[in-house]
Amino acid sequence: MNQVLGATLIAIGLMLGFAFLGIGIGLGILGAKVAEAVGRNPETKSDVVQSVMVVAVVVVVLLLLLFAFVFLLLFFNPLVIQ
């Protein structure tokens, strides 16, 4: 049973780590492309920023769903027989 709990905690740590790594890299690339787009065509700044905010909100919602799944695994682990 301790091995199952240990493996679950490792899996949760890896999920959170890779999620934050992917989100950090993705938002960094997104910010660079936004700066490039606004630098090329400053008149479209409001449209570009509005589109980026929509994408950022979607990413945050997906991150919150990941947290919900992680806490579900953490507290209601289906692999542990009680």
Side-chain angles (χ1 to χ4, degrees), residues 18-77:
F18 285 138
F20 281 117
L21 179 69
I23 287 173
I25 291 172
L27 287 179
I29 292 171
L30 181 67
K33 296 298 180 179
V34 166
E36 181 180 339
V38 170
R40 287 179 186 251
N41 195 359
E43 295 88 28
T44 62
K45 179 182 176 185
S46 63
D47 294 334
V48 171
V49 170
Q50 184 179 6
S51 299
V52 168
M53 286 299 150
V54 169
V55 170
V57 166
V58 169
V59 167
V60 168
V61 167
L62 290 176
L63 184 65
L64 290 174
L65 286 173
L66 174 73
F67 279 137
F69 179 68
V70 163
F71 285 122
L72 183 76
L73 275 183
L74 192 58
F75 293 113
F76 302 108
N77 192 347

